[in-house]
């Protein structure tokens, strides 16, 4: 947790940005049972609640009054029965004091406060909840039916919260550097362990153990797979086999829940084959080209530049043909990289996407205010600014089902040499990912002082020596 003045300043800044005449309601998360009530998943607080109230406790609701400059924290104090199992716990009033909130009350008072605001004709601003428990809680607090939340959530709040969270402060950047160190330990652990005969599951488990030693667990389910062509492959049942490539996309969270997200792809044998090396270096060139040119401006410019670098390399190999710029405009590169270049990074590994185009919010309402939405919650209009942190993760994947579909539909035949592709159906995929902080005049790579091995030579040397 940061100093309480940080949270006071954030709430005041949100109050300054938001229209008057209402309140902001920010519920925290509750415990989520795994298979019975007393056996819960590891608790993860809602990131927006954390950003403004900084408290890791379950079953709290924060309210920011936009008119009288008062902040409220609602929750129930623990009973003696709770303390028997959990030990001494701070009161809600003590929790509030720790983050600069003077007005606290029991949980049910939140409902009365919100209903009073509604009776007075004041706007109740909230974000569409992303958990079932949150949907039910918001209905309980506001009286709005669970299937009506899309019609009442606040685009004003989504836009302003995303804008604030995207511009990282110095203390947040320090947290992201700490998250990087967790990621570094994860990925170098995986590189050390990778050799023929080692189960993917053993590597994934060791990496997750690192995150609990150094932080608060993984920032997302680790991808550790020799089937890198499956973009989100959470299956760890493979056994490492010489001649194959292992794709590891993984990250950790600090105890303050700031995230890292990096990908490395390397040969199980420790040595790239000539073909693996050639394709790897195309991806690495795309990755490095983004680092070379990234600065304040439109995200789509970086996306296109990364695709052009891939196209040039694939044309050089004979897998694509024609002009690289034309191939990018025609969408031909998407056969080999069917995802975007990157995403926002911060307290979520896809920062703020719970409230944007990839989340549960009504996309149409966002589009109606497109000129105002230049944050990572709408990547097509994302304007990078100093303080933005984004991932840089180009890749090349050979996905047989997708190739066969495009071929049968006759897509992009002017740019793709379909006759060459069947020989790559067992190749897999390569992705390389790092996180960039956009600065006034360019960018800096998070963790640049102690980089995870990334070039062919660095990876081969590391694996040989470890």
């Amino acid at each position: 947790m940061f100093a309480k003045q940080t949270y006071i300043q954030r709430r005041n800044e949100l109050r300054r940005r938001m229209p008057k005449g209402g309140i902001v309601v920010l519920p925290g998360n509750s415990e989520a049972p795994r298979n019975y009530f007393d056996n819960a998943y590891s608790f993860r607080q809602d990131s927006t609640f954390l950003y403004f109230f900084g408290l890791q406790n379950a079953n709290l609701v924060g309210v920011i009054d936009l008119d009288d400059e008062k902040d409220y924290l609602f929750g129930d104090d623990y009973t003696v029965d709770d303390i028997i199992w959990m030990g001494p716990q701070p009161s809600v009033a003590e929790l509030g004091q720790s983050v600069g909130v003077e007005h606290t009350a029991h949980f049910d008072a939140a409902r009365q406060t919100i209903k009073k605001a509604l009776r007075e004709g004041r706007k109740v601003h909230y974000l569409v909840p992303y958990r079932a428990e949150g949907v039910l809680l918001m209905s309980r607090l506001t009286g709005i039916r669970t299937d009506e939340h899309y019609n009442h959530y606040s685009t004003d709040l989504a836009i302003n919260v995303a804008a604030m969270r995207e511009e990282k402060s110095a203390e947040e950047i320090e947290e992201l550097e700490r998250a990087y160190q967790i990621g570094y330990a994860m990925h170098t652990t995986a590189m050390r362990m990778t050799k023929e005969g080692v189960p993917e599951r053993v590597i994934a488990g060791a990496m997750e153990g690192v995150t609990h030693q150094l932080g608060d667990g993984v920032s997302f389910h680790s991808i550790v797979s020799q089937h890198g062509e499956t973009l989100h492959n959470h299956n760890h049942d493979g056994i490492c086999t010489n001649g194959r490539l292992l794709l590891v996309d993984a990250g950790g969270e600090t105890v303050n829940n700031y995230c890292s997200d990096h990908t490395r792809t390397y040969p199980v044998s420790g040595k790239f084959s000539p073909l693996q090396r050639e394709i790897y270096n195309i991806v690495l060139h795309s990755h490095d080209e983004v680092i070379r040119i990234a600065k304040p401006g439109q995200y789509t410019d970086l996306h296109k530049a990364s695709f052009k670098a891939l196209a040039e390399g694939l044309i050089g190999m004979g897998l694509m043909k024609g002009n690289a710029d034309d191939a990018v405009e025609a969408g031909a590169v998407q056969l080999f990289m069917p995802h975007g270049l990157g995403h926002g990074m911060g307290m979520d590994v896809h920062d703020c996407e719970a409230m944007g185009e990839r989340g549960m919010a009504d996309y149409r309402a966002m589009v109606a205010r497109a000129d105002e939405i230049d944050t990572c919650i709408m990547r097509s209009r994302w304007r990078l600014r100093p303080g933005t942190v984004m991932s840089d993760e180009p890749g090349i994947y050979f996905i047989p089902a997708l190739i066969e579909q495009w071929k049968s539909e006759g897509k992009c035949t002017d740019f793709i040499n379909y006759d060459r592709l069947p020989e790559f159906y067992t190749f897999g995929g390569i992705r390389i990912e790092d996180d960039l902080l956009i600065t006034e005049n360019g960018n800096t790579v998070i963790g640049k002082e102690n980089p995870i091995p990334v070039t062919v030579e660095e990876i081969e040397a590391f694996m040989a020596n470890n």
Side-chain angles (χ1 to χ4, degrees), residues 177-411:
E177 288 284 354
R178 293 187 187 100
Y180 169 81
Q181 295 303 329
I182 299 173
Y184 176 88
M186 294 172 72
H187 282 274
T188 52
T189 294
M191 283 187 189
R192 288 188 184 97
M193 295 180 65
T194 298
K195 62 181 180 180
E196 187 166 41
V198 177
E200 295 168 353
R201 186 176 303 280
V202 171
I203 298 171
M207 292 172 70
E208 183 164 352
V210 167
T211 69
H212 290 291
Q213 294 168 18
L214 302 179
D216 197 42
V218 295
S219 51
F220 58 98
H221 290 301
S222 300
I223 299 167
V224 181
S225 176
Q226 294 163 102
H227 283 283
E229 77 279 8
T230 303
L231 301 185
H232 279 180
N233 193 342
H234 296 138
N235 184 301
H236 301 147
D237 290 340
I239 305 297
C240 289
T241 304
N242 283 342
R244 302 290 299 278
L245 292 168
L246 186 71
L247 188 152
V248 179
D249 185 343
E253 292 194 15
T254 69
V255 294
N256 286 324
N257 297 113
Y258 282 78
C259 301
S260 67
D261 181 8
H262 296 84
T263 307
R264 292 294 185 266
T265 310
Y266 40 85
V268 170
S269 67
K271 294 286 288 185
F272 288 89
S273 72
L275 181 61
Q276 290 169 345
R277 174 187 289 257
E278 185 173 14
I279 295 175
Y280 186 92
N281 280 331
I282 293 172
V283 178
L284 183 61
H285 173 62
S286 176
H287 166 275
D288 291 350
E289 177 67 5
V290 171
I291 295 172
R292 186 183 72 82
I293 67 174
K295 62 182 180 180
Q298 292 303 122
Y299 158 78
T300 51
D301 292 341
L302 295 183
H303 176 85
K304 289 180 179 179
S306 71
F307 270 41
K308 180 179 178 180
L310 294 177
E312 290 172 341
L314 291 166
I315 290 169
M317 285 189 66
L319 302 184
M320 293 185 69
K321 55 189 175 179
N323 177 271
D325 288 309
D326 293 340
V328 172
E329 290 303 316
V333 186
Q334 292 176 347
L335 176 64
F336 302 95
M337 182 178 159
H339 61 78
L341 168 67
H343 50 77
M345 286 291 303
M347 298 184 78
D348 295 318
V349 79
H350 280 218
D351 217 27
C352 296
E353 285 189 5
M355 64 188 78
E357 60 178 319
R358 296 289 297 276
M360 297 181 65
D362 184 347
Y363 185 68
R364 292 168 300 175
M366 290 290 190
V367 170
R369 298 182 62 176
D371 288 340
E372 299 175 62
I373 302 171
D374 57 4
T375 69
C376 58
I377 65 174
M378 187 174 286
R379 291 190 223 173
S380 62
R381 302 190 65 86
W382 189 7
R383 181 174 59 84
L384 309 177
R385 68 202 77 192
T388 296
V389 178
M390 61 168 286
S391 67
D392 167 20
E393 51 179 311
I396 290 177
Y397 316 89
F398 296 94
I399 307 170
L402 184 63
I403 294 169
E404 290 296 326
Q405 180 185 12
W406 277 40
K407 182 179 179 180
S408 68
E409 295 173 355
K411 291 184 67 172

Side-chain angles (χ1 to χ4, degrees), residues 2-243:
F2 298 131
K4 70 178 180 181
Q5 194 60 35
T6 293
Y7 303 105
I8 294 171
Q9 289 172 350
R10 288 174 176 175
R11 295 191 297 267
N12 287 338
E13 175 62 16
L14 181 63
R15 189 178 283 111
R16 185 190 68 79
R17 290 171 178 249
M18 289 288 290
K20 299 298 182 183
I23 61 174
V24 170
V25 180
L26 298 174
N29 280 333
S30 59
E31 298 278 5
R34 293 182 63 186
N35 51 2
Y36 61 93
F37 289 114
D38 288 336
N39 184 24
Y41 288 102
S42 179
F43 179 73
R44 175 53 156 89
Q45 186 60 281
D46 174 76
S47 293
T48 299
F49 179 86
L50 268 180
Y51 185 81
F52 290 103
F53 288 90
L55 297 168
Q56 295 281 4
N57 308 69
N59 302 315
L60 297 173
V61 176
V63 172
I64 300 170
D65 196 303
L66 299 175
D67 302 307
D68 69 3
E69 299 188 359
K70 291 181 180 178
D71 302 321
Y72 300 84
L73 183 68
F74 300 97
D76 292 329
D77 289 334
Y78 290 100
T79 67
V80 172
D81 287 341
D82 296 321
I83 292 170
I84 290 171
W85 295 98
M86 301 168 63
Q89 300 293 316
S91 67
V92 174
E94 290 169 332
L95 291 174
Q97 286 295 320
S98 70
V99 291
V101 178
E102 296 181 4
H103 304 281
T104 62
H106 57 83
F107 193 89
D108 285 342
R111 184 180 182 185
Q112 302 308 316
T113 299
I114 294 167
K115 288 195 170 184
K116 180 176 181 291
L118 291 170
R119 285 196 306 269
E120 294 171 349
R122 303 175 72 201
K123 173 71 174 176
V124 175
H125 298 272
Y126 67 90
L127 303 171
V128 175
Y130 51 87
R131 289 186 179 182
E133 296 92 339
V135 173
L136 295 173
L137 173 60
M138 190 56 67
S139 293
R140 175 186 168 193
L141 292 174
T142 63
I144 297 171
R145 284 174 26 178
T146 57
D147 59 352
E148 288 289 323
H149 285 308
Y150 296 107
N151 298 325
H152 297 277
Y153 84 97
S154 173
T155 54
D156 283 318
L157 184 59
I159 291 168
N160 286 302
V161 167
M164 289 181 62
R165 283 178 55 182
E166 182 161 326
E167 294 189 38
K168 303 299 188 292
S169 66
E171 59 189 350
E172 289 182 289
I173 293 167
E174 288 179 6
E175 280 294 316
L176 288 167
E177 288 284 354
R178 293 187 187 100
Y180 169 81
Q181 295 303 329
I182 299 173
Y184 176 88
M186 294 172 72
H187 282 274
T188 52
T189 294
M191 283 187 189
R192 288 188 184 97
M193 295 180 65
T194 298
K195 62 181 180 180
E196 187 166 41
V198 177
E200 295 168 353
R201 186 176 303 280
V202 171
I203 298 171
M207 292 172 70
E208 183 164 352
V210 167
T211 69
H212 290 291
Q213 294 168 18
L214 302 179
D216 197 42
V218 295
S219 51
F220 58 98
H221 290 301
S222 300
I223 299 167
V224 181
S225 176
Q226 294 163 102
H227 283 283
E229 77 279 8
T230 303
L231 301 185
H232 279 180
N233 193 342
H234 296 138
N235 184 301
H236 301 147
D237 290 340
I239 305 297
C240 289
T241 304
N242 283 342

Side-chain angles (χ1 to χ4, degrees), residues 448-459:
K448 67 178 182 179
E449 301 302 326
N450 184 33
I452 302 167
V454 67
T455 67
V456 167
E457 294 75 18
E458 288 169 351
I459 289 171

